[in-house]
Structures are given as C-alpha cells and as structure tokens.
Amino acid sequence: MRHWLRVSWLRSAQANVDADQPGADYVDPDTVDTVLTRAATPVLDAMAQEIDSEPVSLILTDASGTVLRRHLGDTGLAAALDSVHLAPGFRYAETSVGTNGIGTSLEVGAPLLIRGDEHYNGRLRRFSCAGAPVTHPVTGAVLGAVDLTTLAENTNALLLSFAKMVAQRIREQILEEAGELDRALLRDYHLACQHSGRPVIAIGDEVLMMNDLTQRMFDSRDQAAIIDRTRDSRGRSEPFTLLADLPSGVTARLSYRPTFVDDRLAGGIVHIKEQVTRGRTRTAGRGGAPVLRSVVGTSATWTRAVEEVFDACARTEWIVVDGEPGSGRSALVRAVHEYARSGRLLVPVDASAVSVDELLERIATAVDEGADLLIRRVDGLDGDTLDAVSDLLLDEASNSAADDSWVTVTMDSADGLPDTHPLLRLFPRTVPVPPLRHHVDDLPELSRFLLDSMGAENLTLSRAAANQLARLSWQGNVTHLRSVLEDIFRRRRSGTIELDDLPAECRSATRRRLTRIESLERDAVVDALTLHNGDKAAAAQALGMSRATIYRKIREYGIEFGRAPKPERTTRQRRSVSRS
C-alpha cells in the first residue's frame, strides 16, 4: 500500500469512520457568492460539455469537502452517487467517509487518484475518484477541490489529469478575476487621489494602498490606527462613515465607498478628513480624562470614551453607552460614577438577566429612592417591556426632584434600538466604547491590570507574547482577554508568560471567525507542536497528517510557535570553539 494511502486509512480508523456505511453529513449549502464559485462556474460549464455522455461526474467542493456542484456526463450515474450521498450539500471530508478523492486530496493538499478497492468505506469501493485541490493563486489558501468520480471498472489515469486541468483552469480564472477587480480598485484609487485632494486609502481582499498625502499628514502610529479601523470595512458593499480617534489626539473622519465590477465587490476607497473636536489639537498627550481606579487605558479612542462619559456624569446628562459585548461599557460607567459621584448610590440592573416584573420593580425602587441607575442591555427587551421602562424613566425625568439623578443605559452597537425609539428621546447623547481591537496599544497596561486583579502579581507578559496578543481580533473584547489570562494563571502562577504559554486560540492570528471544527483542528495542531517542541514533522506524524498538510494548516491559521532556546555551551565546548 502506498505510504500516503496507508496513513489515510490510519486517519480514517482513528476518526472512527464507519467502514460499511458512508457517513457524509448534510450541510445546508452556502449560497453566498465566493471567489471559488464565481471562478468555477464558467470553467465547470465548459468542462461539463467535454464529459457529455461519458460515465463520469464532475464535482466541485468547498475547502471542508462539502459538495457545491455536480455535473453528470451520464445521468444513469446519478442514482449510484445519490445512494452514497455524493450530492450537493453533503460533506465528503475524510473524517466523515474515510479515504476518498475529495477528502483525502484536501487532507494531503495534493492531487491523487483513489481506485475502487483503495476506499476505506466498503460502499465506496464500487467507484474510483480523482481529486485535485483548488488553491488561491495569490495567497495559496485552499478554496476547495475538483473531483471526477466514475464506476470502478471505468478507472483511467486520465481522470487525474482531467481533474488537475480543471483545478488549474479555475485558478487561472481566479487570477484573471482578481486582476480585473484590482484594476477597478486601482482606477478608483487614482481618481480619488487626483480629485479629492485628501488623504486616501484603497482596501481590498489582497490590496492596501495609501497615497503620499496620507503618509505626510499622519505619523506611523496614526497610520496604523487608520488601517486598523479600515480593516473592518473589508467585504462591506454599502457606503459608511465613521470617526476614528488617533494616537496623536486628532479625530479623523473616514468615509468608505465601495468599488464594484458588475455585481462583484472589488474593495473600497476610504477618504480621510482630519477634524479637531471640542478644542482638541494634535498633541502627544491628553489631559482631559480623569484617572480611574477600576479601568485602565491611555489610547486616544479609549480616552475619548472616558472623557465623554465623565462629562455626562458631571453634568448629570442621561446617556446611552453602546459598543460590542465585553468591551467594558458597564465597567466604564461604574468607574466614572465612583470617581465623580462617590457619595451617591449607583443601582445596576441587567435587563437580560431578570424577569420583567423584577426589572420594573428594581427600576421603580431606585427611582423612588433617588439613586443613580445603570440599565444594561436594554436592546434585548421586547416592545411592551421597553414601553414600560420608558414610562418609568419619563416619570423620573419629569420630576423636578430628579434633576440630580443620573441614568445610563447600555446597548450592543450591532443590535441597538432604532434612533427613533421613544426610549432614546430621554437620552440626548450616545457614547461609543471602542472594541479592544481598536485600542490594542492599551493591551499591555490592561493585561497588567487584569493579572493584578486576579492575584497574579508575580506573572508578567514577555514582549513576544504581548506582540502576539496585539495581533488578535479579540471578538470577545476585554472579557475574552480576561478569560485567556485566567486560563494562563490556572496553569502558571509566576514568572514570564512566553509565546508557548499562550492558549492555542491565541497562537493563531487569522482575522476570520473560525467554525467549531476549525477551532478544534487549530488547537490540535498547536497542541501537537507544543508536545514536540516545534518539530513539524513529528507533530504531523502524531496527528496522522502529511508534512505538507501541517505546513498548510500553520499558514491557514496563522499559527505562531516559539523556538526552543539553544542549549548553553559548556566551558569545555567554549574553549574548544575558541581554540579552533
């Protein structure tokens, strides 16, 4: 048995694949237009004509092995393929159905032919299949696979050649399309530079350009902050405008306009306008924000949020504080209240954690007692409850004795209430709290604060570990960072946190959100590398995958792995080197 085939059978056995019945899972097909499907459609339509009346099927899958399209040269083959679920929507990963042309070619990362009796599953042995991965011609990322399947008696070496040819034509189509999209983005970029007279950035899937005016007006720290904010615009097909507080103290207005080729998104152009708000000027320092005890951060974006909440609290102006979950909205309100109104009681009420009756009773009690109020997550309430809350707060606002009361509500920025909602009429201002990824320069100070708060005073972050943490997207924000540090503290009580001490999820710097299966796979690769001290060949063998596959997984997930320090030379070794 060929080596890669033997290893594939071992992987299939370790995955507990049923050797009698194919266990392909059905996945609701993703109908989203992708780079792969756009490029593959004209190629597959043309190739389908080449196999007309031939006893073979031409199949396209995504990177997980899920069948996206199936072309039949002979319709008589359809019933046989349906009987083993080799049809659109079914996932033919090796871990599900064992050794097969689709899953194994994706696992190995190379084209291969699986003859009938080489299939791990008995019911698949009536077929032969040739699979070829489709990789992105620029990034090298695996996008999917092309597969040709026929009955075992029709096995021919030309199957593999045909599959490889189709995969190569799809790659060429991707490259041609990418070139067309990039040319359109470049055209709009040049037009914007010529006519706007402003700093301009162009951003696409694989393209990032900034004009000379951007580089002259903003230093490297401001440029990095602008790029970080514009990164969120990738893939957005509608115009939008946002304000970005830069490290220099300046607020920049970023206006994004998408670029299309027909109905395909090529990227977008960001026009940048510097604007100074409320007397702020470009300066290296900021002195308007109070020094709070229970939250930390000195970045421009975080400091602005602190200043605005503090200003509202000092003037007892009712405000909405919005942002992503875990970004520190409630912690900021409590910290400002402790600093500015320490003599008054702040009553926090989590609208999503109590019943409707308890929520209204606690709000009413706080109102009657003249306490300040923090109502969290009001956007999760239904319409009737929101109306009842609005009525209570309206009574409080109309009470002349309530002039000294301060009410704050928090909302999720993605699921907030519409601006016209009656409740929001009681709150003249909304203060956005930035997600952690927009003020990662606060991460070292924030990490130190969180470690101290959990009793880990003797634990410090190395420069390499801190740099790696700063590269992450932190979808869970500060709450996510705290859970990571708590996980490290459970395993290490003192010393320096090195790169290898970080959890598996923090050793991957990919910006896209991973599926549950992808997260488990990433963690398994990181654990194997840790166990074998970075030896990729040994880690691949332990995981039952090829060396090419583990290198691909490391690139795909952006896995960082610290190198073991070189052993210290003995005195005799140093003298020997000196003499030589």
Side-chain angles (χ1 to χ4, degrees):
M1 183 181 288
R2 287 169 289 178
H3 173 70
W4 62 263
L5 183 60
R6 179 178 61 82
V7 173
S8 175
W9 273 50
L10 288 173
R11 284 196 301 266
S12 302
Q14 291 168 358
N16 295 319
V17 173
D18 190 333
D20 298 318
Q21 293 291 335
D25 299 321
Y26 182 78
V27 181
D28 191 16
D30 190 354
T31 58
V32 175
D33 189 28
T34 66
V35 171
L36 175 65
T37 56
R38 285 198 305 268
T41 296
V43 175
L44 295 180
D45 289 344
M47 292 297 103
Q49 299 178 15
E50 299 292 331
I51 63 170
D52 187 37
S53 301
E54 297 292 335
V56 66
S57 66
L58 175 60
I59 294 169
L60 176 73
T61 79
D62 64 14
S64 70
T66 302
V67 178
L68 302 177
R69 293 186 60 176
R70 186 181 76 177
H71 293 271
L72 294 170
D74 182 356
T75 55
L77 193 59
L81 296 179
D82 289 344
S83 69
V84 292
H85 298 153
L86 186 49
F90 286 93
R91 179 171 293 166
Y92 252 66
E94 191 182 70
T95 53
S96 299
V97 298
T99 303
N100 71 94
I102 295 170
T104 304
S105 67
L106 287 170
E107 184 65 37
V108 174
L112 46 84
L113 173 65
I114 305 290
R115 296 179 176 86
D117 58 0
E118 293 176 337
H119 285 90
Y120 183 81
N121 184 279
R123 293 192 62 193
L124 296 181
R125 291 175 190 161
R126 60 184 295 205
F127 303 99
S128 289
C129 50
V134 178
T135 56
H136 195 287
V138 178
T139 66
V142 176
L143 303 178
V146 170
D147 173 79
L148 266 80
T149 296
T150 187
L151 296 176
E153 57 264 27
N154 298 324
T155 303
N156 191 311
L158 292 177
L159 286 174
L160 184 58
S161 299
F162 193 88
K164 290 162 64 176
M165 178 188 68
V166 175
Q168 178 59 29
R169 290 193 179 180
I170 293 175
R171 281 193 291 269
E172 292 170 354
Q173 185 70 22
I174 292 172
L175 191 60
E176 181 179 340
E177 179 180 293
E180 185 179 5
L181 296 176
D182 288 346
R183 285 193 295 273
L185 184 61
L186 184 63
R187 179 200 63 222
D188 284 2
Y189 170 70
H190 284 311
L191 289 174
C193 293
Q194 292 170 7
H195 299 300
S196 71
R198 291 181 183 173
V200 172
I201 287 180
I203 187 166
D205 286 339
E206 305 295 335
V207 174
L208 177 65
M209 298 177 286
M210 66 172 64
N211 64 351
D212 184 61
L213 192 56
T214 305
Q215 300 177 54
R216 291 202 312 267
M217 286 186 61
F218 301 100
D219 61 24
S220 58
R221 293 192 308 152
D222 281 1
Q223 291 175 28
I226 291 171
I227 291 172
D228 191 59
R229 293 304 306 271
T230 56
R231 186 184 288 118
D232 289 344
S233 67
R234 278 198 174 103
R236 294 187 60 168
S237 57
E238 70 283 348
F240 68 90
T241 299
L242 57 85
L243 297 179
D245 288 319
L246 307 181
S248 63
V250 165
T251 298
R253 183 182 182 89
L254 310 179
S255 300
Y256 170 84
R257 295 293 180 271
T259 292
F260 291 94
V261 176
D262 298 327
D263 59 345
R264 294 171 293 163
L265 179 66
I269 305 300
V270 180
H271 295 263
I272 308 169
K273 181 180 180 182
E274 180 180 318
Q275 60 182 43
V276 180
T277 58
R278 291 202 292 175
R280 292 194 180 104
T281 57
R282 184 180 289 275
T283 175
R286 303 278 295 274
V291 178
L292 306 176
R293 290 194 304 170
S294 52
V295 294
V296 295
T298 56
S299 66
T301 51
W302 176 256
T303 302
R304 179 179 180 179
V306 173
E307 287 180 359
E308 293 200 10
V309 174
F310 175 72
D311 178 66
C313 183
R315 297 189 292 111
T316 62
E317 178 185 47
W318 292 13
I319 57 171
V320 174
V321 180
D322 78 348
E324 296 179 5
S327 56
R329 295 162 296 178
S330 298
L332 175 57
V333 171
R334 285 193 293 265
V336 168
H337 185 274
E338 179 186 23
Y339 180 90
R341 295 168 69 85
S342 58
R344 291 181 62 92
L345 175 66
L346 176 68
V347 177
V349 183
D350 191 335
S352 65
V354 297
S355 66
V356 174
D357 291 340
E358 184 179 354
L359 170 65
L360 298 177
E361 181 180 354
R362 293 181 64 177
I363 293 176
T365 301
V367 167
D368 291 341
E369 295 177 354
D372 293 336
L373 260 175
L374 167 59
I375 308 175
R376 302 174 58 204
R377 304 173 186 171
V378 295
D379 49 299
L381 299 175
D382 59 51
D384 292 340
T385 306
L386 277 172
D387 291 341
V389 171
S390 299
D391 292 340
L392 278 175
L393 295 180
L394 181 60
D395 291 342
E396 171 70 357
S398 60
N399 184 356
S400 60
D403 291 343
D404 195 36
S405 65
W406 186 48
V407 179
T408 307
V409 298
T410 69
M411 296 191 308
D412 288 351
S413 52
D415 304 313
L417 302 176
D419 294 337
T420 56
H421 194 280
L423 176 66
L424 298 184
R425 297 173 188 169
L426 302 173
F427 299 86
R429 184 159 36 135
T430 296
V431 177
V433 173
L436 181 55
R437 64 182 176 275
H438 290 165
H439 61 111
V440 290
D441 40 339
D442 287 331
L443 198 142
E445 183 183 5
L446 183 57
S447 299
R448 179 71 270 158
F449 175 80
L450 294 174
L451 287 170
D452 290 344
S453 68
M454 63 184 71
E457 295 88 353
N458 297 324
L459 202 56
T460 58
L461 275 173
S462 70
R463 182 186 296 272
N467 289 341
Q468 175 62 14
L469 293 180
R471 297 174 59 199
L472 306 180
S473 59
W474 296 111
Q475 296 298 326
N477 295 295
V478 180
T479 302
H480 188 187
L481 175 61
R482 176 184 284 277
S483 70
V484 165
L485 296 175
E486 287 175 344
D487 178 64
I488 295 171
F489 184 46
R490 279 192 293 269
R491 293 179 282 107
R492 187 185 185 99
R493 297 288 185 271
S494 62
T496 302
I497 301 171
E498 300 292 350
L499 192 60
D500 295 347
D501 296 317
L502 299 179
E505 62 173 307
C506 296
R507 307 270 280 283
S508 169
T510 180
R511 285 279 178 175
R512 66 184 177 89
R513 189 182 292 274
L514 301 180
T515 66
R516 177 63 177 163
I517 297 298
E518 288 174 328
S519 297
L520 292 173
E521 182 179 56
R522 175 205 61 198
D523 293 353
V525 171
V526 171
D527 290 343
L529 288 169
T530 302
L531 180 63
H532 295 281
N533 201 26
D535 187 332
K536 298 178 179 63
Q541 185 176 8
L543 292 169
M545 62 175 60
S546 68
R547 196 181 309 183
T549 299
I550 199 169
Y551 274 99
R552 174 166 57 82
K553 298 297 182 185
I554 290 171
R555 288 196 307 271
E556 182 180 344
Y557 295 131
I559 294 172
E560 294 288 339
F561 194 84
R563 298 179 182 272
K566 293 182 179 179
E568 188 72 23
R569 286 188 176 130
T570 65
T571 304
R572 180 176 297 178
Q573 288 173 325
R574 286 196 295 267
R575 288 174 180 171
S576 175
V577 171
S578 177
R579 285 196 298 271
S580 63

